[in-house]
Amino acid sequence: MDAGAVAAALEDARFDVRQDSRHEDLVDDVRGRAELAEWEPLDQLLAAAAAADREAAVREAQRIAARADELQALRELHALEQAEPRDGDEAARDELTRRADGYVQADVDAWLAHALAAHLGHYRPGRP
């Protein structure tokens, strides 16, 4: 069951409780309130998980942007070849390309290609 289905079930339970409250013979029926009490924590848990996922995505985007800044600075200092490639540098390369409106950073591409061919950094065999 996904978040949308949980939200729909929660809304149905809320609707049922509202409807029950309008009918004298159903006011004391605890089934609707019990069902609502089951769905609310699930909805809150899924909302918290979604918020955590969004926060993680923001942190990852910030990490990629910072690494892209670092690679760009190294490139401008003609020191890129001295840097050791890391996991995620491909994403930083993509960020540099996006910043340049589709222009591929040839120096970064060449650096990554050399690192791959020479098995440097995170391209090193046997690396965990």
Side-chain angles (χ1 to χ4, degrees):
M1 181 174 260
D2 65 3
V6 170
L10 176 61
E11 271 311 303
D12 288 346
R14 286 179 178 154
F15 177 79
D16 291 343
V17 168
R18 281 192 307 272
Q19 290 300 99
D20 289 352
S21 72
R22 294 180 181 146
H23 298 282
E24 197 172 301
D25 58 328
L26 297 175
V27 169
D28 294 328
D29 188 3
V30 296
R31 288 178 298 166
R33 290 190 303 274
E35 185 176 349
L36 183 60
E38 288 177 14
W39 287 116
E40 284 176 332
L42 287 173
D43 185 61
Q44 291 169 355
L45 179 64
L46 289 172
D53 286 347
R54 285 189 301 275
E55 288 175 22
V58 167
R59 282 192 306 274
E60 178 64 7
Q62 290 170 336
R63 187 194 64 74
I64 289 168
R67 181 61 173 166
D69 291 343
E70 183 181 346
L71 292 177
Q72 185 64 32
L74 288 169
R75 181 179 172 268
E76 290 169 4
L77 294 170
H78 304 287
L80 187 57
E81 62 281 348
Q82 297 170 10
E84 182 100 352
R86 301 182 205 157
D87 284 330
D89 279 351
E90 292 83 0
R93 177 235 175 250
D94 292 345
E95 172 65 13
L96 288 170
T97 301
R98 185 195 61 75
R99 290 177 184 178
D101 293 327
Y103 171 74
V104 174
Q105 298 286 340
D107 294 343
V108 175
D109 283 347
W111 171 68
L112 286 172
H114 171 73
L116 177 62
H119 304 289
L120 302 174
H122 74 286
Y123 298 118
R124 189 170 288 118
R127 190 185 151 275

